[in-house]
């Protein structure tokens, strides 16, 4: 498989990069975090989306070295931005469910934090509901260990997965991210608006905060703010940016 061959090569010899999307406070427009997202431009294949890369990597086992590369790169970049005084917020990294099954996953995370010097309080890990529900007892144990290190845990794409609230409440979670498919509909679809309202209320009653994903318009932001949703991400503020572009964004935003 040519995609697999090129991905192996990119991992060994370079060609992968990360883009960073800002997370913003709805109350005062302050930067509250950034999410690292994988990017790959290959000489032969052109630009390949993470929606193609991640499933392939999961099927071939490449997700373990790839996931470690993403984590390490995000930590190095964030530690540097902290040292330069550019930011004081955490970086969020997406995890594949396959990584949770890695026997030494927590040790790998500890090692990367040690080696990059990033304070664990400035690392956030994003997992989908389905990822944690595959093996809830194991996932819970791992999340408790991560939490003990000071790492933040978010549930990504909330509302689209297999949700088990009885299980979810046992997990050490900090934050729910409302899937962008719901955000997209809030101004035109009463059901989407009701779902977003209910998810924010649920999160708050469980002492979790909320990030609305995919906010593209001022009206959507106002809606989220009126429900006291704490943070948002989306094109209204910025798409995910290459590191140099992200620095320019920071200079302008503050
Ligand atoms: O970057 P984009 O917004 O196109 O991302 C598409 C999907 O790929 C999203 O669901 C995102 O969570 C996922 N994704 C992007 N980067 C990573 C990564 O480093 N690891 C994992 N597991 N998923 C990622
Ligand atoms: O699943 P996850 O939330 O990690 O994926 C983030 C994905 O959402 C990336 O593909 C990113 O490029 C995309 N994205 C981020 N903001 C917006 C937005 O405002 N609108 C749309 N349509 N997509 C967005
Ligand atoms: Mn995410
Ligand atoms: Na998401």
């Amino acid at each position: 498989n040519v995609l697999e061959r090129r991905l192996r090569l990119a991992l060994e010899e370079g060609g992968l990069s990360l883009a960073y999307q800002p997370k913003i406070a709805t109350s005062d427009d302050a930067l509250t975090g950034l999410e690292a997202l994988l990017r790959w431009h290959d000489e032969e294949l052109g630009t390949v989306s993470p929606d193609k890369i991640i499933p392939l990597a999961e099927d071939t086992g490449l997700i373990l070295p790839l996931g470690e590369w993403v984590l390490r790169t995000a930590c190095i970049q964030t530690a540097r931005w902290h040292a330069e005084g550019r930011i004081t917020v955490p970086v969020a990294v997406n995890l594949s469910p396959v990584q949770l099954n890695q026997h030494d996953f927590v040790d790998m995370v500890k090692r990367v934090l040690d080696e990059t010097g990033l304070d664990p309080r400035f690392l956030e890990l994003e997992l989908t509901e389905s990822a944690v529900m595959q093996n809830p007892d194991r996932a819970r144990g791992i999340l408790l260990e991560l939490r003990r290190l000071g790492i933040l845990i978010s549930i990504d794409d909330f509302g689209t997965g297999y949700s088990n609230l009885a299980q979810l409440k046992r997990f050490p979670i900090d934050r729910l991210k409302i899937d962008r498919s719901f955000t997209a509909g809030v101004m035109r679809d009463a059901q989407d608006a009701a779902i977003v309202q209910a998810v924010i209320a649920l999160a708050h009653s469980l002492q979790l905060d909320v990030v609305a994903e995919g906010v593209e318009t001022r009206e959507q932001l106002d809606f989220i703010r009126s429900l006291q949703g704490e943070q948002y991400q989306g094109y209204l503020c910025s798409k995910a940016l290459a590191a140099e572009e992200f620095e320019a964004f920071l200079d302008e935003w503050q």
Side-chain angles (χ1 to χ4, degrees):
N1 176 312
V2 61
L3 199 59
E4 180 183 349
R5 192 163 46 75
R6 298 296 298 179
L7 181 58
R8 268 182 210 284
L9 197 68
L11 259 173
E12 283 162 17
E13 299 185 358
L16 301 170
S17 66
L18 295 182
Y20 298 89
Q21 188 176 38
K23 298 187 188 182
I24 304 295
T26 58
S27 58
D28 63 0
D29 292 339
L31 183 79
T32 51
L34 42 150
E35 178 175 2
L37 294 156
L38 181 63
R39 296 291 180 259
W40 181 26
H41 185 83
D42 181 73
E43 280 173 21
E44 272 183 30
L45 304 169
T47 298
V48 187
S49 150
D51 290 325
K52 283 231 173 79
I53 305 168
I54 300 299
L56 171 81
E58 288 175 340
D59 290 346
T60 55
L62 283 173
I63 194 69
L64 300 187
L66 178 62
E68 181 168 345
W69 181 87
V70 169
L71 179 67
R72 182 179 303 274
T73 305
C75 289
I76 290 171
Q77 182 61 260
T78 303
R80 186 177 302 150
W81 281 334
H82 275 252
E84 293 169 352
R86 287 182 194 271
I87 61 170
T88 55
V89 295
V91 67
V93 171
N94 292 283
L95 290 186
S96 155
V98 177
Q99 291 177 272
L100 277 191
N101 294 327
Q102 186 180 357
H103 69 280
D104 60 348
F105 177 73
V106 175
D107 289 336
M108 184 277 283
V109 173
K110 275 191 209 162
R111 179 159 35 81
V112 169
L113 287 167
D114 264 4
E115 289 170 8
T116 61
L118 185 71
D119 186 320
R121 287 171 308 159
F122 294 123
L123 177 62
E124 177 174 340
L125 296 174
E126 297 192 4
L127 283 150
T128 62
E129 298 152 90
S130 317
V132 295
M133 293 313 162
Q134 275 184 14
N135 187 345
D137 291 333
R138 177 175 166 81
R140 183 167 176 275
I142 291 173
L143 297 189
L144 283 168
E145 282 189 73
L146 296 170
R147 160 63 73 81
R148 235 177 276 126
L149 297 174
I151 295 168
L152 298 158
I153 311 289
S154 293
I155 300 296
D156 204 357
D157 306 335
F158 188 78
T160 61
Y162 164 62
S163 235
N164 180 335
L165 296 175
Q167 285 285 357
L168 206 61
K169 73 168 191 192
R170 301 171 54 239
F171 282 76
I173 293 165
D174 298 286
R175 187 165 290 157
L176 297 183
K177 298 188 73 182
I178 299 177
D179 190 70
R180 69 167 188 264
S181 62
F182 302 120
T183 308
V186 292
M187 301 316 294
R188 55 175 156 75
D189 182 325
Q191 292 185 324
D192 283 340
I195 289 168
V196 168
Q197 184 168 10
V199 170
I200 293 176
L202 171 71
H204 289 169
S205 65
L206 296 173
Q207 255 69 255
L208 308 176
D209 66 32
V210 171
V211 182
E213 302 183 303
V215 171
E216 296 184 355
T217 69
R218 175 58 55 183
E219 290 70 28
Q220 291 167 346
L221 172 57
D222 291 341
F223 181 81
I224 301 297
R225 187 190 291 117
S226 73
L227 299 170
Q228 271 90 51
E230 284 83 1
Q231 302 176 47
Y232 78 97
Q233 274 177 275
Y235 298 161
L236 177 63
C237 167
S238 175
K239 64 176 186 171
L241 302 168
E244 320 81 67
E245 297 171 326
F246 190 79
E247 293 179 2
F249 164 85
L250 289 173
D251 293 338
E252 275 186 29
W253 188 259
Q254 266 120 37

